[in-house]
Amino acid sequence: MALNKCGVETSTGATLLWKDPADDTYKALGGITEFPQFAFTHGTASCDDDDAANNGWYTGYKNGKLNGGSSSIGYNWKAGDTIQDAMWAQFVSTDTDDFRMQWSDLAATKLDFSANINGYNVNTPPSSDDDNKITRSMSIELSGEPAWG
């Protein structure tokens, strides 16, 4: 992470990587314009218990599985980028993919997570558009608990 002029941490220097199952190594996904934004939540279940110590029925709550929910990743398309092209192949497959968000701070903070790519969009604006970049975005659904490192 980097600091702006006001001393606030920014995402400058952050990288998103995808773990290529072919050689089991993390590879950078280039042209990122929108990083995953996760709102981590617990699934909460209630439990009713006829406990004499609580003078009758007692409703308790417990946390379930940690889940980061769904998010999206946006990037500017670059022709011939093999990692960007691999995202389409992963979208049409049924495999769960491993990703890593890596920051450039001294501690080399990282967040590893598994996700299923469940949506894939391509934006192809007309050539008359002032900013006629071709962009792509992927919707992802976390699978399991993310791990900070």
Side-chain angles (χ1 to χ4, degrees), residues 110-123:
K110 64 184 177 186
L111 175 65
D112 290 342
F113 59 95
S114 295
N116 293 314
I117 301 173
N118 60 2
Y120 191 89
N121 297 306
V122 178
N123 177 31

Side-chain angles (χ1 to χ4, degrees), residues 18 20 27-30 75 80-88:
W18 166 71
D20 188 340
K27 298 176 180 176
L29 181 59
Y75 53 96
D81 186 306
T82 57
I83 305 305
Q84 286 188 359
D85 291 344
M87 295 302 97
W88 172 258

